[in-house]
Amino acid sequence: MRHKLGWVSAAAAGTSLLTALSAAVIGGTAGAAPNARAVLKGSQPAWATSAHLKGATSGSDHVGFRVYLGWRADPSSLVEAVSTPGSPSYGQFLTAQQFRAQFAPAASDVSAVQKWLRSQGFQVDYTPANSLYVAAEGTAAQAEAAFGTQLNEYSVDGTTLRAPSSELSVPSSLKVQAVLGLDESSYLVHTDHVSADGSPPAAFVNGGPCSTYWAQDTTANTLEPTPLNTTDGVITSPSGVTLPDAYSGTTTPFAPCGYTPTQLRGAYGLTDNDTGASQTVAIIDAYASPTIVNDVNEYFSRHGGSLFPSLTRSNFTQVVAPGTYRHPESRAQDPQGWSGEETLDIEAVHAMAPQAHIVYVGAPNNYQDLDAALNHVVDRQLATIVTNSYGWASEALPPGYIKPYYDIMAQAAAEGIGVYFSSGDSGDETGGSGDFAAATPDWPASSDLVTAVGGTSLAVGADNNWLGEWGWETGKSSLSGTNEHNLKWTPAPPGNYLYGSGGGTSRIFPQPWYQAGVVPDSIATAHGHRSAPMRVIPDASALGDPNTGMLIGQTQTFPDGSVSYSEYRIGGTSLASPLFAGMMADVQAARGSVIGFANPLLYAAGSSAYHDIAPVAQMAVVRSDFANLVDDSSGYVASVRSIDFDSVLTIHTAAGYDDVTGLGTPAAEFVSKLAGTNP
């Protein structure tokens, strides 16, 4: 969801981005009088206007928040030096203790913030070891008095959200950069998967026919003849139905049923030696699934073999970041939610790196504590690879939201921790309008200190071989007609834009050193819509298209109230990121050393490490879904899902680097090339 907030300008020449972002969120002046206040710029969301006002927040309402202090020195030079192959300092990462000693806020500054918060009546809950923030809680009335504002309730896209009516301020003597949690901006961009009663999520089951491998069944095939009965495109039975081709003269494959771990490993050139042994991958999501261990083990018992060990306490850990799960503010904090996301992420990582240790870090909500979860992984060095399948649907957030995350990413890179983010599932966020003024990549994927992973549509052959891969941008056409003589796809393929791999040119981050000379200037300037070359995402890609997606297994709730394990196809860049993170664990295992922030290495690896994803025309699959999502009792709904439908976007697949798929997807030489580059 995109909102027209003020964009943060790129760093001025000779100024690091961390310094520029810091200046954007700090008000006040040096030497101010003791009672002076410093305004925290960017702390009031743009949607908090009188037009959206519903009323004042009750003074007795509970609020929880984090006061961010920021680093006392800029680690940007260190980050570039330790992350860039060929640098004398390459790979010489700091320990968490060393990072804290050089960059953490001074103890006196932290103590001053804690003391002030207590003086305002707040309960101070937690300060992490890196002292980046102080978590506190209290009432709305206390927050209004302390931060010099009024908290109101606003109606935004049908949701009631809390926000300050003006910018926050704090005593100028405090070294505060931002406050997260008093407004609910981040609630707008995360999907709530929570079931009303806390039970496993509602069931989804693949319809049919679907193919075990690419083009096993096509529109040239029919099953045994039976009478055709359709009503407005709902097919009572697909048996004997001959569906029209998507494009004249070319038979259309039925969508794969969902690729298994063996198929995906074969397609991306992994061998039985590529297991991610001795590596640790962290996964950050919201909530947790109580059936996750049983679901993953059942899935791999059906689709794995000896290469895939069962999840046990020795190779799987679940963590909640300290200081977050205290006072649930809504039913949205039910820990059963997002179970499909957790299942997808863990099964994807385990598929690509079966011997890696997985650490699952679940935030207790999907709108407030994800930053604390990431900080916990980084500051405690719980893993050397972190995959994140969430994000804001643009960069149009106040700098007060961006700077805290960016500080955490800088610490991760300095310590040799690679942070991976899905690039988003809505293309350039224009909805298919192709409007450059509205086009935006997603945050945090757009950060120049993370690896943004885009999505592709993948064809895997009968021998688990890579047949082809294309940019994931989907157009949808639905079946219409009432008998076998008037069936057609409406609108004519490629239909209407539906979803696809996030990408595009940042408005915030200047072109990073590793993209210079690789990303074409036409893309880096958004075809002249940026005044200087900027950061572009994604960096690389993996399977993301849910129409050619991965088969996963999880416990679901069926319409009759029964709860059982079942399997279905799923996708999104939420799949691409954990798949890619798993493959990077394979690289680290083969390399025998930690990579850390991977982008400089990825851009230096050379083209033979990747499948270059080139444009394709008139490519599609047919999906046949159960109308009621679980069985054939209500018939089937057929649709055509056209592939690489990016003509309505500002981002496009192209030979070489492109802003839909980045450098490409891992090829057979991916592990060996990256493992052998300046180890």
Side-chain angles (χ1 to χ4, degrees):
M1 186 173 298
R2 183 175 66 255
H3 293 274
K4 300 292 187 180
L5 310 184
W7 298 103
V8 180
S9 60
T15 302
S16 80
L17 189 56
L18 267 174
T19 302
L21 283 172
S22 296
V25 298
I26 298 174
T29 57
N35 294 326
R37 306 281 291 185
V39 174
L40 301 181
K41 300 175 184 177
S43 54
Q44 181 193 19
W47 47 262
T49 65
S50 57
H52 294 146
L53 179 64
K54 293 190 67 175
T57 300
S58 171
S60 61
D61 280 3
H62 171 266
V63 294
F65 56 90
R66 281 178 288 282
V67 177
Y68 275 85
L69 286 81
W71 305 132
R72 70 171 185 267
D74 185 349
S76 298
S77 297
L78 171 67
V79 165
E80 182 172 345
V82 300
S83 303
T84 305
S87 164
S89 300
Y90 182 53
Q92 297 180 21
F93 305 116
L94 301 184
T95 65
Q97 293 79 7
Q98 290 171 329
F99 184 90
R100 294 169 196 153
Q102 293 187 43
F103 300 105
S108 58
D109 294 333
V110 177
S111 177
V113 170
Q114 294 170 333
K115 182 178 179 180
W116 174 73
L117 288 169
R118 292 190 179 101
S119 75
Q120 300 301 301
F122 296 112
Q123 176 179 326
V124 173
D125 293 331
Y126 179 71
T127 302
N130 62 0
S131 299
L132 184 57
Y133 65 79
V134 177
E137 61 184 290
T139 67
Q142 290 170 329
E144 290 173 334
F147 294 101
T149 190
Q150 177 175 319
L151 297 180
N152 289 330
E153 303 297 311
Y154 298 89
S155 178
V156 185
D157 294 333
T159 301
T160 299
L161 301 176
R162 183 185 66 227
S165 60
S166 59
E167 302 275 36
L168 306 179
S169 65
V170 297
S172 58
S173 59
L174 299 179
K175 295 186 177 179
V176 173
Q177 287 193 340
V179 178
L180 295 190
L182 290 182
D183 82 81
E184 296 173 327
S185 287
S186 55
Y187 189 88
L188 292 167
V189 295
H190 294 288
T191 301
D192 181 8
H193 297 277
V194 182
S195 54
D197 59 0
S199 61
F204 174 80
V205 178
N206 289 341
C210 59
S211 298
T212 303
Y213 54 86
W214 181 259
Q216 178 190 30
D217 287 313
T218 73
T219 50
N221 308 128
T222 59
L223 304 180
E224 67 278 6
T226 58
L228 172 64
N229 182 5
T230 73
T231 302
D232 295 329
V234 177
I235 305 171
T236 301
S237 170
S239 299
V241 175
T242 300
L243 296 177
D245 298 330
Y247 296 98
S248 178
T250 304
T251 59
T252 309
F254 279 100
C257 305
Y259 295 126
T260 65
T262 301
Q263 289 177 295
L264 292 172
R265 291 177 63 84
Y268 287 124
L270 300 182
T271 71
D272 286 355
N273 294 322
D274 298 316
T275 64
S278 302
Q279 307 305 306
T280 301
V281 179
I283 296 167
I284 295 177
D285 281 326
Y287 317 110
S289 168
T291 61
I292 188 63
V293 173
N294 289 338
D295 289 346
V296 173
N297 290 341
E298 176 64 24
Y299 176 78
F300 282 96
S301 73
R302 299 185 183 197
H303 303 289
S306 59
L307 188 66
F308 304 94
S310 297
L311 292 190
T312 66
R313 291 184 178 181
S314 65
N315 63 357
F316 179 61
T317 307
Q318 297 192 81
V319 177
V320 174
T324 57
Y325 201 97
R326 298 188 60 83
H327 293 283
E329 297 178 4
S330 70
R331 293 179 64 86
Q333 292 199 13
D334 184 333
Q336 173 59 27
W338 277 30
S339 59
E341 185 65 62
E342 178 184 3
T343 304
L344 166 65
D345 289 353
I346 292 174
E347 290 178 357
V349 169
H350 198 54
M352 309 312 276
Q355 300 291 332
H357 186 104
I358 296 175
V359 177
Y360 178 77
V361 185
N365 56 64
N366 68 343
Y367 61 92
Q368 182 169 306
D369 291 326
L370 290 161
D371 58 314
L374 179 59
N375 187 72
H376 183 64
V377 172
V378 171
D379 192 45
R380 299 295 179 90
Q381 295 187 309
L382 299 184
T384 56
I385 293 172
V386 188
T387 177
N388 304 264
S389 294
Y390 62 88
W392 285 261
S394 80
E395 294 180 309
L397 286 163
Y401 267 89
I402 291 174
K403 180 59 168 58
Y405 258 100
Y406 199 79
D407 280 340
I408 299 168
M409 296 164 187
Q411 180 177 0
E415 294 178 0
I417 299 172
V419 179
Y420 299 77
F421 270 91
S422 53
S423 69
D425 297 345
S426 299
D428 60 4
E429 297 293 348
T430 67
S433 71
D435 180 1
F436 271 104
T440 171
D442 290 2
W443 165 264
S446 67
S447 168
D448 58 356
L449 294 183
V450 307
T451 299
V453 186
T456 59
S457 305
L458 174 65
V460 181
D463 297 323
N464 301 333
N465 53 315
W466 185 89
L467 293 180
E469 208 161 357
W470 308 280
W472 170 42
E473 301 293 352
T474 299
K476 180 182 177 182
S477 304
S478 298
L479 184 67
S480 64
T482 56
N483 60 65
E484 62 267 32
H485 302 296
N486 64 7
L487 292 178
K488 62 179 180 179
W489 302 113
T490 305
N496 295 321
Y497 178 78
L498 183 61
Y499 46 39
S501 176
T505 306
S506 175
R507 298 172 186 262
I508 299 175
F509 300 96
Q511 184 176 72
W513 73 99
Y514 52 82
Q515 286 195 324
V518 178
V519 176
D521 284 346
S522 59
I523 299 176
T525 61
H527 303 279
H529 289 78
R530 307 285 187 273
S531 60
M534 304 292 284
R535 160 79 162 139
V536 183
I537 68 167
D539 297 299
S541 294
L543 170 61
D545 185 352
N547 306 296
T548 67
M550 179 179 174
L551 188 72
I552 72 164
Q554 81 174 109
T555 298
Q556 301 185 90
T557 301
F558 286 80
D560 63 1
S562 63
V563 174
S564 63
Y565 171 91
S566 62
E567 299 181 348
Y568 59 95
R569 178 187 59 238
I570 196 170
T573 55
S574 292
L575 168 62
S577 183
L579 287 176
F580 197 86
M583 287 184 273
M584 292 304 295
D586 298 335
V587 172
Q588 286 194 169
R591 187 182 180 89
S593 61
V594 171
I595 292 172
F597 174 46
N599 285 9
L601 178 63
L602 293 174
Y603 283 82
S607 59
S608 64
Y610 305 99
H611 296 296
D612 183 18
I613 309 304
V616 65
Q618 298 192 345
M619 176 75 71
V621 297
V622 171
R623 275 185 59 159
S624 177
D625 294 313
F626 294 127
N628 65 7
L629 305 182
V630 294
D631 59 36
D632 63 3
S633 62
S634 300
Y636 297 75
V637 178
S639 61
V640 158
R641 306 299 175 95
S642 291
I643 290 172
D644 197 22
F645 180 39
D646 63 11
S647 61
V648 297
L649 304 175
T650 63
I651 58 177
H652 307 286
T653 53
Y657 179 92
D658 65 63
D659 45 11
V660 174
T661 66
L663 295 164
T665 63
E669 294 185 22
F670 181 78
V671 172
S672 60
K673 287 285 290 186
L674 269 69
T677 303
N678 197 10

